[in-house]
Amino acid sequence: MAHLHKKIKKGRPYYYIREIQRVGGKPKVVSQIYLGSVDTIAKRLSEARRESRPLRLRSGTFGALFVAHELEKRLDTIGLIDEIVPRAPKEKGPTVGEYFFYAWVNRLIAPRSKRALGEWYRHTAIQEIRPVPEQELTSQRYWEKWERVGGEEIERIAREFFGRVWRLQPLPPECLLFDTTNYYTFMGSQTGSRLCARGHNKAGRHHLRQVGLALLVDRATHLPLYYRTYEGNVHDSKLFRRVIDELFGVMCGFNQSKQRLTVVFDKGMNSGEAIAEIDDHSRVHFITTYSAYFVEELAGMDERAFGPLDLEKNRRLLAEGAGKDCMRVYRTRMELWGRERTVVVTYNPPAARKRRRALERKLEELRALLLEFRRSYREGRPHWRDSRAIEERYLRACEKLHLGSQYYRLRFSAEGEDPDMSFRRDQYQITRAEALFGKNVIVTDNHDWTSEEIVQLSLDRYGIEKQFRASKSSHHVQVNPFYHWTDGKIRCQLLTCVIALTVLRLLELTVRGVGEDGNRLSGKQILQEMSNLDSVWLWYANRGEPQRMIETPTKTQAEVLKAFGWAIGSGGVLQRLED
């Protein structure tokens, strides 16, 4: 066994590491290592301690950036864009495709303005993943590059991009969801723009100019197949008529073997011209909702006329003993838009109860206002003596409450010197409205489909609404608000946002079953988890190259990396898994 041995030479102690074994029955030194004096040992230990400590280190966000780049390898958006908008003869720095890449990756992970983009990248591990001169990531450079990208180039990029997305999918789309939304801008009225116009803004910013976005997504995967930017003052039905031929081309192009393709859209798209074009197409069919007020007699039928509906949600409610909350259905046929259509009316009891409570609350608020109006009128206060002015105030109050004015009847009398005002509820109008609560009318030309199939596809419109909510999230993508001042730059910005939105969904599809108890994580949760996985560069004395280490991943982070074929090995080294 080795031991520490001390020798005294000229009155000074020196130390050795000795190993003694018995040889021929006698102890014998078989190994001896000289350590030196106490001062020499202390000096060597101090030097070794200094060499084991890094002189400096640098950390950066790694995980989210890494999985985004892994998806970029599959899609190659950089190569796609550079092929359509190649580098100019004297152009230096990153290409147009690379600028789009750095923009959509930022939109995907932590949206920043172009002015703040360089600063954000300085705190990430971008140089380890896709090196870029950080001084090139300025807003000015973006505007210079994006000036080279016109409307035709954007259409080609989008078409090729969606084609690449769908080549990664095993099955072509059969049913598609179409819808629109809009995004407000801070563009002034005097700034010239064809895209930005005032209209009904879905975020309630009606006083601001806005730009519209139409999206077509696959019902099964919620992946986009097509998008269109349009003017902010164009009604949904007019836009639908404008792009319907393009939609047919996209739908049939992605699925050339399926004989029947179905597009699902909202009642805001309904128009005789659009439905007629669908009728004339041999392969395309539709499912749409229809305003219950246009078929009031049908939608207002007694609840007892509605039968059971075999949906997953209903089965769950029955298992929980809440059968009274199950959605029910009534099916018939009627002529709409010049042809016979299958009409399915659903009744949702919880939704009906919620609408009744909301109506009662609003009616009580309106009653309290009318009592104040009557008191002011009876007392003859200034500006309260004209009955027509009070009726105008009543209409404005109804509008503010998003309520029709037909629920109260106002009456004024000004006989002699005692003007009077009275009001009462119109119970007929209230009952008429309540009969439609919880009712939803669905129209289709798929006559051979079951009621369950028709209702489920209509309910699946939430898939595209989910995409729009993601596009307006403050955590990822975040299209709103725009700070761009030309139509060309707005189109480029929307392209990067649509790419980020698509990649976000691809990320969810790639990382399936990762989470607690196998529950699927949302794209937001995946990116938040991976954003906490950092890499560190360490510089040591007497070593030329710095050493990179990745911190120990959590269970979820390790599973996400595994879904992409990677793992963190011993010593914090990223390594590819064996096939």
Side-chain angles (χ1 to χ4, degrees):
M1 178 180 291
H3 66 279
L4 190 64
H5 179 72
K6 181 174 73 170
K7 287 184 178 181
I8 303 296
K9 294 182 179 181
K10 296 181 179 182
R12 298 183 63 185
Y14 294 88
Y15 292 87
Y16 300 79
I17 294 177
R18 268 187 178 184
E19 188 174 353
I20 298 177
Q21 294 181 0
R22 284 189 174 273
V23 178
K26 295 181 179 180
K28 185 178 181 179
V29 177
V30 296
S31 174
Q32 179 172 282
I33 301 172
Y34 175 68
L35 297 179
S37 65
V38 173
D39 293 339
T40 302
I41 294 173
K43 183 179 179 181
R44 288 180 178 177
L45 287 174
S46 178
E47 289 175 352
R49 196 176 293 115
R50 283 199 302 271
E51 288 182 2
S52 66
R53 291 179 181 176
L55 298 177
R56 65 187 180 94
L57 59 84
R58 186 185 70 194
S59 66
T61 302
F62 174 81
L65 212 60
F66 177 77
V67 296
H69 192 252
E70 286 296 298
L71 290 169
E72 161 62 18
K73 289 179 183 178
R74 302 178 187 182
L75 296 169
D76 190 20
T77 62
I78 297 173
L80 184 157
I81 296 172
D82 286 344
E83 183 179 343
I84 296 172
V85 190
R87 187 189 289 274
K90 296 183 179 181
E91 186 176 2
K92 297 181 180 179
T95 64
V96 174
E98 288 175 312
Y99 272 101
F100 270 98
F101 166 75
Y102 294 122
W104 73 250
V105 167
N106 172 255
R107 287 279 129 191
L108 176 70
I109 299 172
R112 298 288 189 276
S113 67
K114 298 299 178 293
R115 184 175 296 176
L117 206 58
E119 181 64 24
W120 179 76
Y121 270 115
R122 269 192 286 276
H123 294 88
T124 69
I126 188 62
Q127 306 301 347
E128 306 165 37
I129 297 170
R130 183 116 194 157
V132 59
E134 294 171 356
Q135 65 273 15
E136 294 285 344
L137 297 178
T138 64
S139 59
Q140 183 60 37
R141 292 292 286 154
Y142 266 95
W143 306 146
E144 291 172 2
K145 297 287 185 176
W146 283 7
E147 284 290 344
R148 299 183 53 213
V149 186
E152 292 183 6
E153 288 83 0
I154 287 177
E155 288 188 15
R156 285 184 58 194
I157 292 168
R159 186 165 56 248
E160 291 294 326
F161 171 73
F162 290 131
R164 293 188 179 191
V165 169
W166 278 98
R167 282 195 286 273
L168 300 175
Q169 300 305 309
L171 296 174
E174 297 180 6
C175 182
L176 303 109
L177 316 172
F178 182 78
D179 206 350
T180 64
T181 191
N182 48 49
Y183 306 98
Y184 60 84
T185 76
F186 293 118
M187 185 179 289
S189 301
Q190 71 281 2
T191 305
S193 172
R194 292 184 60 190
L195 275 179
C196 295
R198 288 181 176 84
H200 179 78
N201 184 259
K202 296 186 179 182
R205 301 289 191 96
H206 308 304
H207 62 290
L208 296 176
R209 297 170 76 178
Q210 64 184 17
V211 59
L213 178 74
L215 201 61
L216 181 72
V217 305
D218 172 47
R219 174 242 182 172
T221 62
H222 298 169
L223 278 171
L225 294 88
Y226 164 92
Y227 87 100
R228 175 64 60 199
T229 304
Y230 66 96
E231 301 87 345
N233 59 354
V234 174
H235 190 271
D236 289 352
S237 60
K238 291 183 179 179
L239 172 77
F240 192 45
R241 293 199 302 271
R242 183 195 297 178
V243 302
I244 196 166
D245 288 335
E246 293 182 51
L247 295 180
F248 290 161
V250 170
M251 293 168 66
C252 297
F254 279 116
N255 192 333
Q256 299 179 3
S257 60
K258 187 73 176 177
Q259 292 302 311
R260 178 188 292 183
L261 299 172
T262 301
V263 58
V264 183
F265 50 90
D266 192 57
K267 58 192 172 191
M269 312 286 177
N270 292 343
S271 69
E273 296 88 344
I275 300 297
E277 290 202 42
I278 296 176
D279 289 336
D280 291 340
H281 201 287
S282 59
R283 293 183 59 195
V284 180
H285 297 261
F286 73 91
I287 294 177
T288 184
T289 52
Y290 197 73
S291 177
Y293 292 99
F294 294 156
V295 285
E296 190 171 343
E297 185 176 343
L298 176 64
M301 291 187 307
D302 190 270
E303 300 170 11
R304 290 170 291 185
F306 291 78
L309 196 60
D310 186 20
L311 294 176
E312 181 182 351
K313 181 180 178 181
N314 282 357
R315 291 193 292 270
R316 187 171 65 251
L317 289 171
L318 288 171
E320 295 171 356
K324 60 183 177 59
D325 290 338
C326 286
M327 183 182 290
R328 303 200 290 274
V329 68
Y330 176 83
R331 180 169 179 158
T332 187
R333 289 196 182 191
M334 65 184 302
E335 185 172 324
L336 289 171
W337 301 299
R339 291 192 186 183
E340 187 178 63
R341 316 289 180 180
T342 292
V343 180
V344 175
V345 184
T346 62
Y347 173 62
N348 189 351
R353 292 195 296 270
K354 184 177 179 180
R355 290 284 304 278
R356 289 191 188 99
R357 290 194 295 269
L359 177 62
E360 184 60 33
R361 175 179 54 79
K362 290 180 180 181
L363 289 176
E364 283 300 313
E365 288 184 38
L366 203 54
R367 178 177 177 273
L369 281 173
L370 288 173
L371 288 171
E372 289 292 330
F373 290 1
R374 185 174 67 180
R375 184 179 301 108
S376 300
Y377 183 71
R378 285 177 175 176
E379 294 174 0
R381 295 178 183 175
H383 310 295
W384 288 90
R385 298 166 186 169
D386 187 353
S387 60
R388 287 175 296 183
I390 294 177
E391 288 175 345
E392 285 294 327
R393 290 190 179 99
Y394 170 69
L395 293 175
R396 288 198 296 272
C398 291
E399 184 178 351
K400 187 175 180 181
L401 290 170
H402 303 286
L403 192 67
S405 61
Q406 70 271 23
Y407 299 116
Y408 277 102
R409 297 296 180 188
L410 277 62
R411 183 178 177 184
F412 297 90
S413 62
E415 298 178 0
E417 297 182 358
D418 297 320
D420 197 14
M421 168 188 165
S422 62
F423 59 90
R424 65 177 179 85
R425 285 191 180 188
D426 192 327
Q427 194 57 45
Y428 169 76
Q429 294 292 344
I430 294 173
T431 304
R432 183 181 171 189
E434 289 179 340
L436 303 182
F437 288 170
K439 308 286 180 61
N440 190 40
V441 181
I442 307 169
V443 181
T444 182
D445 60 349
N446 287 320
H447 302 297
D448 57 331
W449 283 15
T450 65
S451 298
E452 284 77 11
E453 289 175 320
I454 295 169
V455 172
Q456 188 59 60
L457 279 177
S458 182
L459 293 174
D460 284 346
R461 283 186 296 111
Y462 85 91
I464 195 166
E465 292 168 359
K466 178 184 176 183
Q467 294 287 48
F468 286 143
R469 285 196 297 273
S471 74
K472 297 178 181 182
S473 167
S474 59
H475 301 281
H476 308 293
V477 186
Q478 194 182 12
V479 179
N480 259 0
F482 277 102
Y483 293 99
H484 306 77
W485 313 113
T486 67
D487 288 353
K489 293 182 177 64
I490 288 175
R491 288 191 176 95
C492 288
Q493 176 71 357
L494 275 173
L495 174 62
T496 61
C497 291
V498 170
I499 292 175
L501 196 64
T502 306
V503 173
L504 183 65
R505 182 58 188 152
L506 276 175
L507 178 62
E508 293 175 338
L509 295 174
T510 304
V511 188
R512 293 183 179 183
V514 173
E516 296 294 330
D517 301 323
N519 295 325
R520 292 185 181 181
L521 294 177
S522 67
K524 174 184 174 182
Q525 291 171 320
I526 295 168
L527 288 172
Q528 285 179 337
E529 185 74 23
M530 296 306 292
S531 293
N532 294 324
L533 181 65
D534 292 346
S535 70
V536 181
W537 283 97
L538 304 169
W539 281 263
Y540 290 93
N542 302 325
R543 297 188 191 179
E545 294 294 326
Q547 180 182 355
R548 188 187 78 169
M549 296 182 65
I550 299 172
E551 67 174 319
T552 303
T554 64
K555 179 183 177 182
T556 300
Q557 290 167 348
E559 289 177 347
V560 172
L561 290 172
K562 182 180 178 181
F564 284 92
W566 293 89
I568 307 297
S570 59
V573 178
L574 182 69
Q575 56 190 23
R576 184 172 286 281
L577 297 174
E578 295 294 334
D579 295 333

